[in-house]
């Protein structure tokens, strides 16, 4: 797809100066409908465009996303298990693409970010939340569990005890507490402005090094220490032969800011 092809009903995609912004736009609460599932699955492809060096996922107005529309679960009563799993994989693939692309992706969280909305944020690399944002997993209220990363990715960030406690109770927490427990990395009064500034810095950085950092850390999380160490060493040996490494060393010696090209 070319950048001109990214037009959807429930998601807005914009690319400027190497930063792709994927904005949820399904008023009034950015519910993840069937249409948004399909839109997201296609929209995240922008993160792999050659001109894109960083990404931001944001909500619209005062809400990030309330997650799946309850009406979707009413429709799902008619689905077979196979149909439910097929529909879930559409959104799951979008989350996996965010997580596995070498492009760094930031989530700017304002307002309500619960259920599937929070699972979307969990798939991103760094979460930046407003102090008064609302985050959590209320799935037990309808007899379900967070099923697209709310258990698996959540536990990696906050640990098993805290993950169980917050999911068992369905407690909703604000941005500051989310930071305290390790769910978000930064708390900012204006998360989107902060995310855009951060993304701009990443876009100007040594993108091969940033991309390999993301891949190595993800693999280190999922593998044993020895395997992770081998991957780390191989990534470093690759980066030693890049133009950005040479530019970084030259800039350091010349006491100036480096001008990275991504090569």
């Amino acid at each position: 797809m070319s950048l001109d092809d990214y037009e959807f009903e429930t998601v807005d995609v914009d690319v400027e100066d190497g930063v792709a912004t994927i904005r949820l736009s399904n008023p009034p609460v950015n519910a993840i409908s069937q249409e948004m599932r399909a839109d997201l699955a296609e929209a995240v492809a922008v993160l792999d465009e050659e001109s894109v060096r960083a990404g931001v996922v944001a909500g619209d107005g005062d809400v990030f996303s309330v997650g799946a529309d309850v009406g979707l679960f009413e429709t799902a009563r008619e689905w077979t298990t196979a149909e439910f799993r097929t529909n879930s994989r559409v959104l799951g693939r979008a989350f996996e693409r965010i997580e596995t692309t070498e492009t760094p992706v930031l989530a700017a969280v304002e307002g309500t970010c619960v259920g599937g909305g929070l699972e979307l944020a969990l798939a991103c690399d760094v979460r930046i939340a407003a102090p008064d944002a609302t985050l959590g997993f209320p799935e037990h209220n309808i007899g379900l569990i967070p099923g697209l990363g709310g258990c698996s990715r959540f536990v990696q960030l906050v640990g098993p005890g805290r993950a169980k406690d917050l999911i068992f109770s369905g407690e909703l927490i604000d941005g500051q507490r989310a930071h305290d427990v390790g769910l978000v990395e930064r708390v900012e009064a204006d998360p989107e402005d902060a995310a855009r500034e951060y993304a701009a810095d990443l876009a100007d950085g040594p993108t091969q090094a940033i991309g390999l950092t993301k891949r190595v850390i993800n693999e280190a999380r999922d593998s044993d220490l020895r395997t992770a160490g081998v991957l780390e060493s191989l990534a470093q040996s690759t980066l030693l032969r890049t133009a950005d490494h040479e530019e970084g060393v030259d800039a350091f010696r010349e006491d100036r800011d480096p001008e990275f090209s991504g090569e």
Side-chain angles (χ1 to χ4, degrees), residues 137-228:
F137 290 111
E139 279 83 347
H140 281 185
N141 291 334
I142 56 171
L144 294 175
I145 66 170
L148 284 172
C151 293
S152 54
R153 291 188 179 100
F154 192 41
V155 69
Q156 292 167 349
L157 289 175
V158 305
R162 186 164 279 133
K164 291 172 188 175
D165 180 28
L166 290 172
I167 294 173
F168 286 169
S169 66
E171 179 184 0
L172 303 182
I173 60 177
D174 64 22
Q176 186 57 59
R177 181 155 182 236
H179 180 267
D180 293 343
V181 303
L183 176 55
V184 305
E185 286 67 41
R186 301 189 181 195
V187 177
E188 299 284 352
D190 191 327
E192 187 168 338
D193 275 357
R196 286 182 176 279
E197 184 175 349
Y198 192 166
D201 287 342
L202 292 171
D204 287 339
T207 49
Q208 289 192 69
I210 292 168
L212 284 176
T213 297
K214 175 173 176 173
R215 293 194 67 174
V216 169
I217 290 176
N218 283 352
E219 292 300 324
R221 176 196 64 198
D222 299 331
S223 63
D224 63 273
L225 183 60
R226 178 171 296 181
T227 301

Coordinates of all heavy atoms in Angstrom, one line a residue, residues 137-228:
F137 N -8.9 -3.5 33.4 CA -9.5 -4.6 32.7 C -10.8 -5.0 33.4 O -10.8 -5.8 34.4 CB -8.6 -5.8 32.7 CG -7.4 -5.6 31.8 CD1 -6.1 -5.5 32.3 CD2 -7.6 -5.5 30.4 CE1 -5.0 -5.3 31.5 CE2 -6.5 -5.3 29.5 CZ -5.2 -5.2 30.1
P138 N -12.0 -4.6 32.9 CA -13.3 -4.9 33.6 C -13.9 -6.1 33.0 O -15.1 -6.3 33.2 CB -14.1 -3.6 33.3 CG -13.6 -3.2 31.9 CD -12.1 -3.5 31.9
E139 N -13.2 -7.0 32.3 CA -13.8 -8.1 31.5 C -14.6 -9.0 32.5 O -15.6 -9.7 32.0 CB -12.8 -8.9 30.8 CG -12.4 -8.3 29.4 CD -11.3 -7.2 29.5 OE1 -11.1 -6.7 30.7 OE2 -10.8 -6.8 28.5
H140 N -14.2 -9.2 33.7 CA -14.9 -10.1 34.6 C -16.3 -9.7 34.8 O -17.1 -10.5 35.2 CB -14.1 -10.2 36.0 CG -12.9 -11.1 35.9 ND1 -12.2 -11.4 37.0 CD2 -12.4 -11.8 34.9 CE1 -11.2 -12.2 36.7 NE2 -11.3 -12.4 35.4
N141 N -16.6 -8.4 34.6 CA -18.0 -7.9 34.7 C -19.0 -8.6 33.8 O -20.2 -8.7 34.0 CB -18.1 -6.4 34.5 CG -17.4 -5.6 35.7 OD1 -17.3 -6.1 36.8 ND2 -16.9 -4.4 35.4
I142 N -18.4 -9.1 32.7 CA -19.3 -9.9 31.7 C -18.8 -11.3 31.6 O -19.1 -12.0 30.6 CB -19.3 -9.2 30.3 CG1 -17.9 -9.0 29.7 CG2 -20.0 -7.9 30.4 CD1 -17.9 -8.5 28.3
G143 N -18.1 -11.8 32.6 CA -17.7 -13.2 32.7 C -16.7 -13.6 31.7 O -16.6 -14.8 31.3
L144 N -15.8 -12.7 31.3 CA -14.7 -13.0 30.4 C -13.3 -12.7 31.0 O -13.3 -12.1 32.2 CB -14.9 -12.3 29.1 CG -16.1 -12.7 28.2 CD1 -16.2 -11.8 27.0 CD2 -16.0 -14.1 27.8
I145 N -12.3 -12.9 30.3 CA -10.9 -12.5 30.7 C -10.4 -11.6 29.6 O -10.9 -11.6 28.5 CB -10.0 -13.7 30.9 CG1 -9.7 -14.4 29.6 CG2 -10.5 -14.7 31.9 CD1 -8.6 -15.4 29.6
P146 N -9.4 -10.8 29.9 CA -8.7 -10.0 28.9 C -8.0 -11.1 28.0 O -7.1 -11.8 28.4 CB -7.7 -9.2 29.6 CG -8.1 -9.2 31.1 CD -8.8 -10.5 31.3
G147 N -8.4 -11.2 26.7 CA -8.0 -12.3 25.9 C -7.1 -12.0 24.8 O -6.8 -12.9 24.0
L148 N -6.6 -10.8 24.6 CA -5.7 -10.4 23.5 C -4.4 -9.7 24.1 O -4.0 -8.7 23.5 CB -6.4 -9.6 22.5 CG -7.3 -10.4 21.5 CD1 -8.1 -9.4 20.7 CD2 -6.6 -11.4 20.7
G149 N -3.9 -10.2 25.1 CA -2.7 -9.6 25.7 C -2.9 -9.1 27.1 O -1.9 -8.8 27.8
G150 N -4.1 -9.0 27.5 CA -4.4 -8.4 28.8 C -3.9 -9.3 29.9 O -3.6 -8.8 31.0
C151 N -3.8 -10.6 29.7 CA -3.2 -11.5 30.7 C -1.7 -11.7 30.3 O -0.8 -11.4 31.1 CB -3.8 -12.9 30.7 SG -5.5 -12.9 31.3
S152 N -1.4 -12.0 29.1 CA 0.0 -12.4 28.7 C 1.0 -11.2 28.7 O 2.1 -11.3 29.3 CB 0.0 -13.1 27.3 OG -0.7 -12.3 26.4
R153 N 0.6 -10.1 28.1 CA 1.5 -9.0 28.1 C 1.5 -8.2 29.4 O 2.5 -7.7 29.9 CB 1.2 -8.0 26.9 CG 1.4 -8.6 25.5 CD 1.3 -7.5 24.5 NE 1.6 -8.1 23.1 CZ 0.6 -8.5 22.3 NH1 -0.7 -8.4 22.6 NH2 1.0 -9.0 21.1
F154 N 0.3 -8.2 30.0 CA 0.2 -7.5 31.3 C 1.1 -8.0 32.4 O 1.8 -7.3 33.1 CB -1.3 -7.5 31.7 CG -1.7 -6.6 32.8 CD1 -1.3 -5.3 32.9 CD2 -2.6 -7.1 33.8 CE1 -1.7 -4.5 33.9 CE2 -3.0 -6.2 34.8 CZ -2.5 -4.9 34.9
V155 N 1.1 -9.3 32.5 CA 1.9 -10.0 33.5 C 3.4 -9.7 33.3 O 4.2 -9.6 34.3 CB 1.7 -11.5 33.6 CG1 2.2 -12.2 32.3 CG2 2.3 -12.1 34.8
Q156 N 3.8 -9.5 32.1 CA 5.3 -9.2 31.8 C 5.6 -7.8 32.4 O 6.8 -7.6 32.7 CB 5.6 -9.3 30.3 CG 5.5 -10.7 29.8 CD 5.4 -10.8 28.3 OE1 5.3 -9.8 27.6 NE2 5.6 -12.0 27.8
L157 N 4.7 -6.9 32.4 CA 4.9 -5.6 32.9 C 4.8 -5.4 34.4 O 5.6 -4.8 35.1 CB 4.0 -4.6 32.2 CG 4.2 -4.3 30.7 CD1 3.1 -3.4 30.2 CD2 5.6 -3.6 30.5
V158 N 3.8 -6.0 35.0 CA 3.5 -5.7 36.4 C 3.7 -6.9 37.3 O 3.6 -6.8 38.5 CB 2.0 -5.2 36.5 CG1 1.8 -4.0 35.7 CG2 1.0 -6.3 36.2
G159 N 4.0 -8.1 36.8 CA 4.2 -9.3 37.6 C 2.9 -10.0 37.8 O 1.8 -9.5 37.7
P160 N 3.0 -11.3 38.2 CA 1.8 -12.2 38.3 C 0.9 -11.8 39.4 O -0.4 -11.8 39.2 CB 2.4 -13.6 38.5 CG 3.8 -13.4 39.0 CD 4.2 -12.1 38.3
G161 N 1.4 -11.4 40.5 CA 0.5 -11.1 41.7 C -0.3 -9.9 41.4 O -1.6 -9.9 41.6
R162 N 0.3 -8.8 40.9 CA -0.4 -7.6 40.6 C -1.4 -7.8 39.4 O -2.5 -7.2 39.4 CB 0.6 -6.4 40.4 CG -0.1 -5.1 40.3 CD 0.9 -4.0 40.4 NE 1.2 -3.7 41.8 CZ 2.4 -3.6 42.3 NH1 3.5 -3.7 41.5 NH2 2.6 -3.3 43.6
A163 N -0.9 -8.5 38.4 CA -1.8 -8.8 37.3 C -3.1 -9.5 37.7 O -4.2 -9.1 37.3 CB -1.1 -9.6 36.2
K164 N -2.9 -10.5 38.5 CA -4.1 -11.3 39.0 C -5.0 -10.3 39.8 O -6.2 -10.3 39.7 CB -3.6 -12.4 39.9 CG -3.0 -13.6 39.1 CD -2.4 -14.6 40.1 CE -1.5 -15.6 39.4 NZ -0.9 -16.6 40.3
D165 N -4.4 -9.5 40.7 CA -5.2 -8.7 41.6 C -6.0 -7.7 40.8 O -7.2 -7.5 41.0 CB -4.2 -7.9 42.5 CG -5.0 -7.0 43.5 OD1 -6.1 -7.2 43.8 OD2 -4.4 -6.0 43.9
L166 N -5.4 -7.0 39.8 CA -6.1 -6.0 39.0 C -7.2 -6.6 38.1 O -8.2 -6.1 37.9 CB -5.1 -5.2 38.2 CG -4.3 -4.2 39.1 CD1 -3.2 -3.6 38.3 CD2 -5.1 -3.2 39.8
I167 N -6.9 -7.8 37.6 CA -7.8 -8.5 36.7 C -9.0 -9.1 37.5 O -10.1 -9.0 37.2 CB -7.2 -9.5 35.8 CG1 -6.2 -8.8 34.8 CG2 -8.2 -10.3 35.0 CD1 -5.4 -9.7 34.0
F168 N -8.6 -9.8 38.6 CA -9.6 -10.4 39.5 C -10.7 -9.3 39.9 O -11.9 -9.5 39.9 CB -9.0 -10.9 40.8 CG -8.3 -12.2 40.6 CD1 -7.5 -12.7 41.7 CD2 -8.3 -13.0 39.5 CE1 -6.8 -13.9 41.6 CE2 -7.6 -14.2 39.4 CZ -6.8 -14.6 40.4
S169 N -10.1 -8.2 40.4 CA -11.0 -7.1 41.0 C -11.6 -6.3 39.9 O -12.7 -5.6 40.2 CB -10.1 -6.3 41.9 OG -9.2 -5.5 41.2
G170 N -11.1 -6.2 38.7 CA -11.6 -5.3 37.7 C -11.3 -3.8 38.1 O -12.0 -2.9 37.5
E171 N -10.4 -3.6 39.1 CA -10.2 -2.2 39.5 C -9.6 -1.4 38.4 O -8.7 -1.8 37.7 CB -9.2 -2.2 40.7 CG -8.8 -0.9 41.2 CD -7.7 -0.9 42.3 OE1 -7.2 -2.0 42.6 OE2 -7.4 0.2 42.8
L172 N -10.1 -0.1 38.3 CA -9.6 0.8 37.3 C -8.7 1.8 38.1 O -9.0 2.3 39.1 CB -10.8 1.6 36.7 CG -11.8 0.7 36.0 CD1 -12.9 1.6 35.3 CD2 -11.2 -0.2 34.9
I173 N -7.5 2.0 37.5 CA -6.5 2.9 38.2 C -6.2 4.1 37.3 O -6.4 4.1 36.1 CB -5.2 2.1 38.5 CG1 -4.6 1.5 37.2 CG2 -5.5 0.9 39.4 CD1 -3.3 0.8 37.4
D174 N -5.7 5.1 37.9 CA -5.4 6.3 37.2 C -3.9 6.2 36.6 O -3.2 5.3 36.9 CB -5.5 7.6 38.0 CG -4.6 7.7 39.2 OD1 -3.6 7.0 39.2 OD2 -4.9 8.4 40.2
G175 N -3.6 7.2 35.8 CA -2.3 7.2 35.1 C -1.1 7.2 36.1 O -0.1 6.5 35.8
Q176 N -1.2 7.9 37.2 CA -0.1 7.9 38.1 C 0.1 6.6 38.8 O 1.2 6.1 38.9 CB -0.3 9.0 39.2 CG 0.9 9.2 40.2 CD 2.1 9.5 39.4 OE1 2.2 10.5 38.7 NE2 3.2 8.7 39.6
R177 N -1.0 5.9 39.2 CA -0.8 4.6 39.8 C -0.4 3.6 38.8 O 0.4 2.7 39.0 CB -2.1 4.1 40.4 CG -1.9 2.7 41.1 CD -2.8 2.4 42.2 NE -2.4 1.0 42.7 CZ -3.3 0.0 42.8 NH1 -4.5 0.1 42.4 NH2 -2.8 -1.2 43.3
A178 N -0.8 3.7 37.5 CA -0.4 2.9 36.5 C 1.1 3.0 36.3 O 1.8 2.0 36.0 CB -1.1 3.2 35.2
H179 N 1.7 4.2 36.4 CA 3.1 4.3 36.4 C 3.8 3.7 37.6 O 4.8 3.0 37.5 CB 3.4 5.8 36.3 CG 4.9 6.1 36.3 ND1 5.7 6.4 37.4 CD2 5.8 6.2 35.2 CE1 6.9 6.6 37.1 NE2 7.0 6.5 35.8
D180 N 3.2 3.8 38.8 CA 3.8 3.3 40.0 C 3.9 1.8 39.9 O 4.8 1.2 40.4 CB 2.9 3.7 41.2 CG 3.0 5.2 41.5 OD1 3.9 5.9 41.0 OD2 2.1 5.7 42.2
V181 N 2.9 1.1 39.3 CA 2.9 -0.4 39.2 C 3.6 -0.9 38.0 O 3.8 -2.1 37.8 CB 1.5 -1.0 39.3 CG1 0.8 -0.5 40.5 CG2 0.7 -0.6 38.0
G182 N 4.1 0.0 37.1 CA 4.9 -0.4 35.9 C 4.1 -0.6 34.7 O 4.6 -1.2 33.7
L183 N 2.8 -0.2 34.7 CA 2.0 -0.4 33.5 C 2.2 0.6 32.4 O 2.2 0.3 31.2 CB 0.5 -0.4 33.9 CG -0.6 -0.4 32.8 CD1 -0.4 -1.7 32.0 CD2 -2.0 -0.4 33.4
V184 N 2.6 1.8 32.8 CA 3.0 2.9 31.9 C 4.4 3.3 32.2 O 4.8 3.3 33.4 CB 2.0 4.0 31.8 CG1 0.6 3.5 31.5 CG2 2.0 4.9 33.1
E185 N 5.1 3.8 31.2 CA 6.5 4.2 31.4 C 6.6 5.7 31.8 O 7.6 6.1 32.5 CB 7.3 3.9 30.2 CG 7.6 2.5 30.0 CD 6.4 1.6 29.7 OE1 5.6 2.1 28.9 OE2 6.3 0.5 30.2
R186 N 5.7 6.5 31.3 CA 5.8 8.0 31.6 C 4.4 8.5 31.9 O 3.4 8.1 31.3 CB 6.4 8.7 30.3 CG 7.8 8.2 30.0 CD 8.4 9.2 28.9 NE 9.7 8.7 28.5 CZ 10.6 9.4 27.8 NH1 10.3 10.7 27.4 NH2 11.7 8.9 27.5
V187 N 4.4 9.6 32.7 CA 3.1 10.3 33.0 C 3.3 11.8 32.6 O 4.3 12.4 33.0 CB 2.8 10.2 34.5 CG1 1.5 11.1 34.8 CG2 2.5 8.8 34.9
E188 N 2.5 12.3 31.7 CA 2.6 13.6 31.2 C 1.3 14.3 31.1 O 0.2 13.6 30.9 CB 3.2 13.6 29.7 CG 4.6 13.0 29.6 CD 5.7 13.9 30.1 OE1 5.4 15.1 30.4 OE2 6.8 13.4 30.2
A189 N 1.2 15.6 31.4 CA 0.0 16.3 31.3 C -0.7 16.3 29.9 O -1.9 16.2 29.8 CB 0.2 17.8 31.7
D190 N 0.1 16.3 28.9 CA -0.4 16.1 27.5 C 0.3 15.0 26.9 O 1.4 15.1 26.2 CB -0.1 17.4 26.7 CG -0.8 17.5 25.4 OD1 -1.0 16.4 24.8 OD2 -1.3 18.5 25.0
P191 N -0.2 13.8 27.0 CA 0.5 12.6 26.5 C 0.8 12.6 25.0 O 1.8 12.1 24.6 CB -0.5 11.4 26.9 CG -1.3 12.0 28.0 CD -1.4 13.4 27.7
E192 N -0.2 13.2 24.2 CA 0.0 13.1 22.8 C 1.2 14.0 22.4 O 2.0 13.7 21.5 CB -1.2 13.5 22.0 CG -1.0 13.3 20.5 CD -2.4 13.3 19.7 OE1 -3.4 13.1 20.3 OE2 -2.3 13.6 18.5
D193 N 1.2 15.2 23.0 CA 2.4 16.1 22.7 C 3.7 15.5 23.1 O 4.7 15.6 22.3 CB 2.2 17.5 23.4 CG 1.3 18.4 22.6 OD1 0.9 18.1 21.5 OD2 1.1 19.5 23.1
A194 N 3.7 14.9 24.2 CA 4.9 14.2 24.7 C 5.3 13.1 23.8 O 6.5 12.9 23.5 CB 4.7 13.7 26.1
A195 N 4.3 12.3 23.3 CA 4.6 11.2 22.4 C 5.1 11.7 21.1 O 6.0 11.1 20.5 CB 3.3 10.3 22.2
R196 N 4.5 12.7 20.6 CA 5.0 13.3 19.3 C 6.4 13.8 19.4 O 7.2 13.6 18.5 CB 4.1 14.4 18.9 CG 2.7 14.0 18.4 CD 1.9 15.2 17.9 NE 0.6 14.7 17.3 CZ 0.5 14.3 16.1 NH1 1.5 14.2 15.3 NH2 -0.7 13.9 15.6
E197 N 6.8 14.4 20.5 CA 8.1 14.9 20.7 C 9.1 13.7 20.8 O 10.2 13.7 20.2 CB 8.2 15.8 22.0 CG 9.6 16.4 22.2 CD 9.6 17.3 23.4 OE1 8.5 17.7 23.9 OE2 10.7 17.7 23.9
Y198 N 8.7 12.7 21.6 CA 9.5 11.5 21.7 C 9.7 10.9 20.4 O 10.8 10.5 20.0 CB 8.8 10.6 22.7 CG 9.6 9.4 23.3 CD1 9.1 8.7 24.4 CD2 10.8 9.0 22.7 CE1 9.8 7.6 24.9 CE2 11.5 7.9 23.2 CZ 11.0 7.2 24.3 OH 11.6 6.1 24.8
A199 N 8.6 10.7 19.6 CA 8.7 10.0 18.3 C 9.5 10.8 17.4 O 10.3 10.2 16.6 CB 7.3 9.9 17.8
A200 N 9.5 12.1 17.4 CA 10.3 12.9 16.5 C 11.8 12.7 16.8 O 12.6 12.6 15.9 CB 10.0 14.4 16.7
D201 N 12.1 12.6 18.1 CA 13.5 12.3 18.5 C 13.9 10.9 18.0 O 15.0 10.7 17.5 CB 13.7 12.3 20.0 CG 13.6 13.8 20.6 OD1 13.8 14.7 19.8 OD2 13.4 13.9 21.8
L202 N 13.0 9.9 18.1 CA 13.3 8.6 17.6 C 13.5 8.6 16.1 O 14.4 7.9 15.5 CB 12.2 7.6 18.0 CG 12.1 7.3 19.5 CD1 10.8 6.5 19.7 CD2 13.3 6.5 20.0
A203 N 12.7 9.4 15.4 CA 12.7 9.4 13.9 C 14.1 10.0 13.5 O 14.5 9.7 12.4 CB 11.6 10.2 13.4
D204 N 14.6 10.9 14.3 CA 15.9 11.5 13.9 C 17.1 10.7 14.4 O 18.2 11.0 14.1 CB 16.0 12.9 14.6 CG 15.1 13.9 13.9 OD1 14.8 13.7 12.8 OD2 14.8 15.0 14.6
G205 N 16.8 9.6 15.1 CA 17.9 8.8 15.7 C 18.4 7.7 14.7 O 18.0 7.6 13.6
P206 N 19.3 6.9 15.2 CA 19.8 5.8 14.4 C 18.8 4.6 14.4 O 18.8 3.7 15.2 CB 21.1 5.4 15.2 CG 20.7 5.7 16.7 CD 19.9 6.9 16.6
T207 N 18.0 4.6 13.3 CA 16.8 3.8 13.3 C 17.2 2.3 13.3 O 16.4 1.5 13.8 CB 15.9 4.1 12.1 OG1 16.7 4.2 10.9 CG2 15.2 5.4 12.3
Q208 N 18.3 1.9 12.7 CA 18.6 0.5 12.7 C 19.0 0.0 14.2 O 18.6 -1.0 14.6 CB 19.9 0.2 11.8 CG 19.5 0.3 10.3 CD 20.7 -0.2 9.5 OE1 20.9 -1.4 9.5 NE2 21.4 0.6 8.8
A209 N 19.7 0.9 14.9 CA 20.0 0.6 16.3 C 18.7 0.5 17.1 O 18.6 -0.4 18.0 CB 21.0 1.6 16.8
I210 N 17.8 1.4 16.9 CA 16.6 1.5 17.7 C 15.7 0.2 17.3 O 15.2 -0.4 18.2 CB 15.8 2.8 17.4 CG1 16.6 4.0 18.0 CG2 14.4 2.7 18.0 CD1 16.0 5.3 17.5
G211 N 15.6 -0.1 16.1 CA 14.9 -1.3 15.7 C 15.4 -2.6 16.2 O 14.7 -3.4 16.7
L212 N 16.7 -2.7 16.2 CA 17.3 -3.9 16.7 C 17.3 -4.0 18.2 O 17.1 -5.0 18.8 CB 18.8 -4.1 16.3 CG 19.0 -4.5 14.8 CD1 20.4 -4.5 14.4 CD2 18.4 -5.9 14.6
T213 N 17.3 -2.8 18.9 CA 17.1 -2.8 20.3 C 15.7 -3.3 20.7 O 15.5 -4.2 21.6 CB 17.1 -1.3 20.9 OG1 18.4 -0.8 20.6 CG2 16.8 -1.2 22.3
K214 N 14.7 -2.9 19.9 CA 13.3 -3.4 20.1 C 13.3 -4.9 20.0 O 12.7 -5.7 20.8 CB 12.4 -2.7 19.2 CG 10.9 -3.3 19.2 CD 10.0 -2.4 18.4 CE 8.6 -3.0 18.4 NZ 7.6 -2.1 17.7
R215 N 13.9 -5.4 18.9 CA 13.8 -6.9 18.6 C 14.6 -7.7 19.7 O 14.1 -8.7 20.1 CB 14.4 -7.2 17.2 CG 13.5 -6.6 16.1 CD 13.9 -7.2 14.8 NE 13.5 -8.6 14.7 CZ 13.7 -9.3 13.6 NH1 14.1 -8.8 12.5 NH2 13.4 -10.6 13.6
V216 N 15.8 -7.2 20.0 CA 16.6 -7.9 21.0 C 15.9 -8.0 22.4 O 15.9 -9.0 23.1 CB 18.0 -7.3 21.1 CG1 18.7 -7.9 22.3 CG2 18.8 -7.6 19.8
I217 N 15.3 -6.8 22.8 CA 14.7 -6.8 24.1 C 13.4 -7.7 24.1 O 13.2 -8.4 25.1 CB 14.3 -5.3 24.5 CG1 15.6 -4.6 24.8 CG2 13.3 -5.3 25.7 CD1 15.4 -3.1 25.1
N218 N 12.7 -7.7 23.0 CA 11.5 -8.6 22.9 C 11.9 -10.0 23.0 O 11.3 -10.9 23.7 CB 10.7 -8.3 21.7 CG 9.9 -7.1 21.7 OD1 9.7 -6.4 22.8 ND2 9.3 -6.7 20.6
E219 N 13.0 -10.4 22.3 CA 13.5 -11.8 22.3 C 14.1 -12.1 23.7 O 13.9 -13.2 24.2 CB 14.5 -12.0 21.3 CG 14.0 -11.9 19.8 CD 12.9 -13.0 19.6 OE1 13.0 -14.1 20.1 OE2 12.0 -12.7 18.9
A220 N 14.7 -11.2 24.4 CA 15.3 -11.4 25.7 C 14.2 -11.7 26.7 O 14.3 -12.5 27.6 CB 16.1 -10.2 26.1
R221 N 13.1 -11.0 26.5 CA 11.9 -11.2 27.4 C 11.4 -12.6 27.2 O 10.9 -13.2 28.2 CB 10.8 -10.2 27.0 CG 9.5 -10.3 27.7 CD 8.4 -9.5 27.0 NE 8.2 -10.1 25.7 CZ 7.6 -9.5 24.7 NH1 7.2 -8.2 24.9 NH2 7.4 -10.0 23.5
D222 N 11.5 -13.2 26.0 CA 10.8 -14.4 25.7 C 11.8 -15.6 25.7 O 11.3 -16.8 25.4 CB 10.1 -14.3 24.4 CG 9.0 -13.3 24.4 OD1 8.4 -13.0 25.5 OD2 8.7 -12.7 23.3
S223 N 13.0 -15.4 26.0 CA 14.0 -16.5 25.8 C 14.9 -16.6 27.0 O 14.9 -15.7 27.9 CB 14.8 -16.4 24.5 OG 15.6 -15.2 24.6
D224 N 15.8 -17.6 27.1 CA 16.8 -17.7 28.2 C 17.9 -16.7 28.0 O 18.1 -16.1 26.9 CB 17.3 -19.1 28.2 CG 18.1 -19.5 27.0 OD1 17.5 -19.9 26.0 OD2 19.3 -19.2 27.0
L225 N 18.7 -16.5 29.1 CA 19.7 -15.4 29.1 C 20.8 -15.7 28.0 O 21.2 -14.8 27.4 CB 20.3 -15.4 30.5 CG 21.4 -14.3 30.7 CD1 20.8 -12.9 30.5 CD2 21.9 -14.4 32.1
R226 N 21.2 -16.9 27.9 CA 22.3 -17.2 26.9 C 21.8 -16.9 25.5 O 22.6 -16.3 24.7 CB 22.7 -18.7 27.1 CG 23.8 -19.1 26.1 CD 24.3 -20.5 26.4 NE 25.0 -20.5 27.7 CZ 25.5 -21.6 28.2 NH1 25.5 -22.8 27.5 NH2 26.1 -21.6 29.3
T227 N 20.6 -17.3 25.1 CA 20.1 -17.1 23.8 C 20.0 -15.6 23.5 O 20.4 -15.0 22.5 CB 18.8 -17.7 23.5 OG1 18.9 -19.1 23.7 CG2 18.2 -17.4 22.2
A228 N 19.5 -14.9 24.5 CA 19.3 -13.4 24.4 C 20.7 -12.7 24.2 O 20.8 -11.8 23.5 CB 18.6 -12.9 25.6

